[in-house]
């Protein structure tokens, strides 16, 4: 009887661990999708700058409401929350002009994914913690 209870407890622990890993994997995938959306939005903001001087957005809100034009342009539908972080806030990668070139999670949790991510228009995303994953727009030369 005691052996059966011990085995049942071990089985529950294994199911809990598998569930936790599956949840982390889903959040990690969501982080990649959202990071990619930020890279695209920063890229369109940068490329659609009026005139010849290109500029990065001064704030994330400028990706939702770009008021540099007569009509408001939207590069993002909304400011997305960090799916793996505890807060809604993102770490910001500053560009040389002081604008925002990219975002990253503030979570220090260890990633499940080990190989680098190669996203179109972005610097390679790599690192062992989510805070190391920088989703940065790279302007074409």
């Amino acid at each position: 009887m005691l052996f059966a209870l011990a085995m049942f407890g071990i089985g529950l622990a294994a199911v809990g661990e598998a569930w936790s890993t599956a949840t982390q994997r889903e959040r990690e995938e969501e982080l990649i999708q959202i990071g990619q959306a930020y890279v695209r939005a920063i890229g369109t903001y940068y490329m659609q700058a009026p005139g010849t001087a290109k500029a990065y957005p001064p704030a994330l809100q400028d990706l939702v409401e770009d008021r540099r034009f007569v009509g408001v342009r939207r590069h993002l539908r909304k400011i997305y929350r960090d799916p793996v972080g505890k807060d809604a806030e993102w770490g910001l990668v500053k560009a040389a002009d002081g604008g925002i070139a990219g975002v990253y999670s503030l979570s220090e949790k260890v990633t499940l994914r080990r190989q680098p991510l190669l996203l179109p228009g972005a610097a390679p995303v790599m690192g062992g913690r989510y805070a190391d994953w920088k989703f940065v727009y790279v302007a074409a030369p």
Side-chain angles (χ1 to χ4, degrees), residues 11-94:
L12 283 179
V15 168
E17 187 174 318
W19 179 265
S20 175
T21 301
T23 301
Q24 183 178 354
R25 192 172 309 284
E26 286 174 15
R27 288 186 179 158
E28 192 170 282
E29 195 58 39
E30 188 178 359
L31 175 64
I32 293 167
Q33 297 299 319
I34 291 172
Q36 208 169 10
Y38 273 110
V39 167
R40 279 192 306 270
I42 292 168
T44 60
Y45 183 97
Y46 181 85
M47 294 307 294
Q48 293 177 4
T52 57
K54 303 293 183 198
Y56 288 92
L60 291 180
Q61 188 60 35
D62 292 313
L63 297 174
V64 177
E65 294 182 36
D66 185 355
R67 297 190 178 274
R68 299 176 296 171
F69 303 93
V70 175
V72 175
R73 290 195 184 173
R74 299 188 187 287
H75 305 281
L76 268 184
R77 292 177 49 210
K78 65 179 186 173
I79 300 296
Y80 294 99
R81 296 179 59 96
D82 176 0
V84 297
K86 295 177 183 164
D87 300 321
E89 288 188 45
W90 291 93
L92 303 176
V93 178
K94 294 293 187 170

